[in-house]
Amino acid sequence: MPHPTNADDTYSYLGPAGTFTEAALAQVADAAGKTWQPVNNVGQALDDVVSGRSTAAMIAIENSIEGGVSASQDALASIPNLRIIGEYLVPVNFVLVARPGTRLQDVRVVNAHPVAYAQCHLWLDATLPEHGHLPATSNVAAAASLLSDTTADAAIAPPGITDHYPLDVLAREIGDNPHAVTRFVLVSRTTRLPVPTGSDKTSVIVELPDDTAGRLLEMLEQFATRGVNMSLLASRPIGDALGRYRFVIDLDGHLHDERVADALLGLKRFSPNVTFLGSYPRADKLAITVTPRYDDRAFTAAREWLESLES
């Protein structure tokens, strides 16, 4: 790839080459022909964006098996001035690789990214019941380390890893769920919203005002009373005291949809801290269906009725 001349030519992703994150970045049309900068963790990828070293960063945000990726959710909550501008889905499966000459029955320690390890634990427990786990920063890093470090005997890696490293495949399709999918988001500093498509998501992070009984219900009512569906609701500890949590929420719809905008207004009145992460097209392109009493015309008609009372 060409050398970057400015941040607009550079995209950061969890490396090294061959990761599922790189596969997600390959789906971004604007990134084609640009420089892809591999980094070691989510924090570094987002710091590249904030500092201006990259125009955007691709990070994993949710897995269909393990749920939300806590490191990404916490980073988005703590690093200001970031926006999600797109989402991408990557089917996930794994192979077990080792140094040439290694036999499956010789494997005692497996190097793996924690998320990948969790998605393969049933196969590992059944096939290698006495194995130990050595955590890695990425699936590719786990495989690459086998060539420089003998601590682990094998590694969990993406299919095709042998195109990049001289390793033997000991087992294929070791993931516990053949339908596993990881959702990635492209994060940038831009504040310009993508235009509504009719198949959109809006992401926010919300804190409750206090721990009084019923506060969570009050938060959820901001969406329920306006017909806004949530496709993700995940809690993460704020970290300043026990029992204090923030909520990562994905909503069906766009900020320019009347029901979503009205829900966010209610949410802002309710919560002491609301972080708007962006509105962007859904990766699955499924159209959002809304009952008539919650579509834009219903909100516009209600507003016109209210204004008519003064005249």
Side-chain angles (χ1 to χ4, degrees), residues 94-104 107 123 146 154-155 157-163 165-174:
F94 302 96
V95 296
L96 188 72
V97 294
R99 290 177 290 273
T102 304
R103 300 177 304 171
L104 182 60
V107 174
W123 184 91
L146 295 175
I161 190 66
T162 52
D163 294 339
Y165 299 95
L167 298 167
D168 286 350
V169 176
L170 302 184
R172 300 181 185 276
E173 298 185 359
I174 65 173

Side-chain angles (χ1 to χ4, degrees), residues 55 82 142 157 167 284:
T55 187
L82 293 174
L167 298 167
D284 57 18

Side-chain angles (χ1 to χ4, degrees), residues 13-100:
Y13 73 99
L14 181 64
T19 61
F20 291 115
T21 311
E22 186 189 47
L25 186 55
Q27 299 180 34
V28 181
D30 289 344
K34 303 294 179 65
T35 296
W36 296 2
Q37 177 63 42
V39 298
N40 293 323
N41 54 65
V42 169
Q44 185 179 352
L46 296 181
D47 185 63
D48 281 353
V49 175
V50 172
S51 65
R53 292 189 296 271
S54 296
T55 187
M58 184 68 75
I59 63 173
I61 195 73
E62 183 185 5
N63 181 270
S64 60
I65 307 301
E66 293 298 304
V69 179
S70 57
S72 297
Q73 293 174 342
D74 292 345
L76 290 172
S78 60
I79 301 175
N81 304 319
L82 293 174
R83 288 284 178 86
I84 297 173
I85 58 176
E87 72 167 0
Y88 306 87
L89 303 178
V90 176
V92 173
N93 210 319
F94 302 96
V95 296
L96 188 72
V97 294
R99 290 177 290 273

Side-chain angles (χ1 to χ4, degrees), residues 35-275:
T35 296
W36 296 2
Q37 177 63 42
V39 298
N40 293 323
N41 54 65
V42 169
Q44 185 179 352
L46 296 181
D47 185 63
D48 281 353
V49 175
V50 172
S51 65
R53 292 189 296 271
S54 296
T55 187
M58 184 68 75
I59 63 173
I61 195 73
E62 183 185 5
N63 181 270
S64 60
I65 307 301
E66 293 298 304
V69 179
S70 57
S72 297
Q73 293 174 342
D74 292 345
L76 290 172
S78 60
I79 301 175
N81 304 319
L82 293 174
R83 288 284 178 86
I84 297 173
I85 58 176
E87 72 167 0
Y88 306 87
L89 303 178
V90 176
V92 173
N93 210 319
F94 302 96
V95 296
L96 188 72
V97 294
R99 290 177 290 273
T102 304
R103 300 177 304 171
L104 182 60
Q105 57 266 36
D106 296 331
V107 174
R108 296 292 179 268
V109 177
V110 176
N111 198 354
H113 187 278
V115 174
Y117 181 78
Q119 293 183 55
C120 300
H121 76 91
L122 294 180
W123 184 91
L124 289 168
D125 290 347
T127 310
L128 303 168
E130 298 181 359
H131 77 278
H133 173 216
L134 181 66
T137 57
S138 77
N139 298 311
V140 174
S145 69
L146 295 175
L147 300 175
S148 59
D149 187 344
T150 58
T151 304
D153 305 301
I156 296 174
I161 190 66
T162 52
D163 294 339
H164 301 277
Y165 299 95
L167 298 167
D168 286 350
V169 176
L170 302 184
R172 300 181 185 276
E173 298 185 359
I174 65 173
D176 298 329
N177 189 323
H179 306 295
V181 174
T182 294
R183 173 182 165 232
F184 294 83
V185 291
L186 189 65
V187 180
S188 177
R189 290 176 298 164
T190 181
T191 57
R192 185 177 65 254
L193 289 176
V195 297
T197 66
S199 174
D200 304 288
K201 281 184 181 178
T202 294
S203 296
V204 294
I205 298 177
V206 185
E207 294 180 15
L208 300 181
D210 52 54
D211 61 354
T212 303
R215 287 302 198 195
L216 178 58
L217 177 60
E218 289 182 58
M219 182 188 76
L220 299 178
E221 284 177 340
Q222 304 300 324
F223 310 119
T225 58
R226 295 166 175 89
V228 178
N229 183 58
M230 294 182 297
S231 56
L232 173 68
L233 175 62
S235 63
R236 294 296 304 153
I238 295 175
D240 56 358
L242 285 173
R244 290 258 294 146
Y245 288 85
R246 59 171 62 98
F247 294 87
V248 182
I249 303 172
D250 287 343
L251 308 173
D252 287 350
H254 194 283
L255 180 62
H256 291 166
D257 295 333
E258 291 277 358
R259 69 187 187 283
V260 174
D262 200 54
L264 293 186
L265 287 175
L267 194 65
K268 184 60 178 176
R269 292 192 298 268
F270 162 79
S271 171
N273 192 2
V274 178
T275 300

